[in-house]
Amino acid sequence: MTDLFENPVGLNGFEFIEFSAPERGLLEPVFETMGFERVASHRSKDVDLWRQGGINIITNYEPRSAAWYFAREHGPSACGMGFRVRDAKKAYDYLLQQGAEPIQVETGAMELHIPGIRGIGNSIIYLVDRYDEGGNELSIYDIDFEYLPGVERHPEGCGFKLIDHLTHNVYGGRMAYWAGYYEKLFNFREIKYFDIKGEYTGLTSQALTAPDGKIRIPLNEEGKSGGGQIEEFLRQYNGEGIQHIALICDDLVACWDRLKAKGVPFMTAPPGSYYDMLDGRLPGHGEPIEELRTRGILLDGTTEGNEPRLLLQIFAEPQIGPVFFEFIQRKGDYKDGFGEGNFKALFESIERDQVNRGVLEAEGAK
């Protein structure tokens, strides 16, 4: 894929998302129900590799590591992410020149040194230049990890292929700071801006894309009224951080069926009127409405020129603290949408969940 604009760091997509928790047994069932399999363990650290398609998830329990301390503060959480770069040393040197905060990454004997910088909420962004793009290239896992005996190294799982995007929840007034962080360091650019009003609360979202077009990060900030889902996340998480990770597939209806069979809990579906209005909102979309309705799958995009360019999406309930997963499918080369047409429906479904849990008080109950 050709870069969209100048790519000074040499970004080339997500390599992994790193998770940690105060103890084992909290993360693993969540990944298993989503179709991930543990395929390898680190040679010297208490670290495992989970995989599905081209998606890599790292679980890190190494005592007194950055991940270990992160989990003590935030509980079960996403504590880091790996960005693919063409040359890790050059990328690291450039980022430090731009003002990035360096991170001391402990490296054992005969292990790769993977440089990192400080990211959202004291997480780490790792710079990885050893990765497999499908040509059996030597990756960090081939060097630093040992694959489990007889394991399928690239399990199909529930059918998800890649990380499409992930979001950050930030404190009020901090969106400009984090947008500037990604713009100055990596030359990200804004592609979408939303101001969402729910029934009780609101939020503002600014979506950024990297020069490679493969790393996309929407930033979410609580609306002026306060008391909503972003504020709840920040309170429960003890700070800013990764709110959700979106996984992409080729057939969301089929993937939903596999997820449901494995026991993934989904967020509350929108009301039936949402599906009754789909044909009017997206005329000629061509999707089976009843199949979407029975599964609670949301639909967004455009059908201008009788050429449907669509996004199908659904969200799991938070199971890693307040962090949750999104499952999506893109059709007709619809690359830049994040379901903004669905944001209100999603926002209100999360509000309904908050009302059910007693976090929000419904207007009629006041």
Side-chain angles (χ1 to χ4, degrees):
M1 179 177 177
T2 304
D3 289 337
L4 303 178
F5 34 87
E6 185 181 0
N7 190 353
V9 178
L11 294 171
N12 192 27
F14 290 104
E15 175 56 28
F16 61 78
I17 307 297
E18 181 184 38
F19 288 84
S20 191
E23 60 187 46
R24 283 186 176 273
L26 300 174
L27 302 173
E28 290 76 10
V30 179
F31 299 143
E32 287 173 351
T33 57
M34 291 191 297
F36 286 89
E37 294 184 27
R38 187 170 72 92
V39 298
S41 295
H42 197 278
R43 295 179 186 276
S44 65
K45 296 182 174 68
D46 194 2
V47 175
D48 290 326
L49 169 64
W50 293 72
R51 184 176 280 167
Q52 173 172 194
I55 306 164
N56 297 311
I57 285 179
I58 300 292
T59 55
N60 189 341
Y61 299 100
E62 180 66 13
R64 290 173 173 75
S65 65
W68 186 81
Y69 286 111
F70 194 95
R72 291 177 70 189
E73 180 178 1
H74 298 282
S77 49
C79 58
M81 50 186 172
F83 287 176
R84 292 180 172 184
V85 296
R86 298 187 181 106
D87 186 313
K89 185 180 185 307
K90 287 183 179 179
Y92 182 69
D93 290 344
Y94 172 84
L95 290 168
L96 294 193
Q97 290 172 7
Q98 297 301 110
E101 179 186 346
I103 295 295
Q104 183 66 36
V105 178
E106 298 294 332
T107 304
M110 304 300 291
E111 294 174 5
L112 289 174
H113 175 68
I114 303 175
I117 64 169
R118 184 71 66 195
I120 182 80
N122 284 327
S123 65
I124 298 177
I125 297 176
Y126 299 92
L127 307 171
V128 181
D129 60 7
R130 297 283 189 92
Y131 51 87
D132 184 0
E133 290 192 279
N136 292 318
E137 294 90 350
L138 197 64
S139 74
I140 56 174
Y141 315 110
D142 298 311
I143 300 169
D144 286 354
F145 287 71
E146 293 181 343
Y147 284 95
L148 303 183
V151 72
E152 169 57 54
R153 296 192 178 191
H154 294 277
E156 181 181 352
C158 288
F160 294 96
K161 308 290 187 181
L162 295 168
I163 298 167
D164 183 84
H165 65 271
L166 56 78
T167 64
H168 295 347
N169 279 1
V170 306
Y171 284 117
R174 294 267 289 171
M175 181 177 288
Y177 171 82
W178 284 110
Y181 169 93
Y182 283 108
E183 289 165 3
K184 180 175 175 57
L185 296 185
F186 298 100
N187 199 29
F188 277 53
R189 297 186 184 176
E190 179 185 312
I191 52 174
K192 297 282 182 180
Y193 187 90
F194 328 116
D195 194 7
I196 310 300
K197 297 289 192 300
E199 186 175 351
Y200 308 107
T201 60
L203 69 79
T204 300
S205 186
Q206 180 180 4
L208 307 173
T209 187
D212 63 346
K214 300 176 183 178
I215 301 174
R216 288 171 288 192
I217 301 178
L219 309 172
N220 298 327
E221 183 180 273
E222 184 69 39
K224 292 182 180 179
S225 59
Q229 58 197 254
I230 308 304
E231 187 175 301
E232 182 189 7
F233 175 96
L234 296 169
R235 185 171 56 251
Q236 184 178 349
Y237 199 71
N238 291 326
E240 299 173 315
I242 296 171
Q243 178 214 33
H244 79 258
I245 299 103
L247 310 181
I248 191 167
C249 67
D250 294 332
D251 185 344
L252 188 55
V253 169
C255 289
W256 185 96
D257 290 345
R258 297 182 194 120
L259 293 171
K260 188 66 175 178
K262 284 181 167 289
V264 171
F266 294 102
M267 285 190 186
T268 305
S273 58
Y274 170 88
Y275 297 96
D276 295 337
M277 297 167 64
L278 272 183
D279 285 338
R281 184 161 66 87
L282 292 168
H285 58 78
E287 296 300 310
I289 289 180
E290 288 310 309
E291 290 193 7
L292 303 184
R293 186 196 303 266
T294 58
R295 294 167 175 84
I297 293 175
L298 305 173
L299 183 66
D300 194 34
T302 176
T303 57
E304 290 183 8
N306 294 319
E307 295 182 4
R309 299 172 63 243
L310 304 171
L311 173 72
L312 290 80
Q313 61 186 156
I314 194 165
F315 300 81
E317 291 181 357
Q319 293 180 277
I320 300 174
V323 180
F324 61 92
F325 283 82
E326 175 185 3
F327 310 107
I328 72 169
Q329 178 185 358
R330 296 185 184 274
K331 287 189 170 185
D333 198 36
Y334 189 61
K335 296 179 180 179
D336 293 336
F338 294 90
E340 50 268 29
N342 290 324
F343 265 43
K344 185 174 177 63
L346 167 66
F347 195 83
E348 291 181 349
S349 73
I350 298 177
E351 283 187 333
R352 287 194 295 273
D353 176 67
Q354 289 184 297
V355 169
N356 292 338
R357 291 186 288 110
V359 177
L360 277 179
E361 186 176 357
E363 292 292 335
K366 291 183 178 179

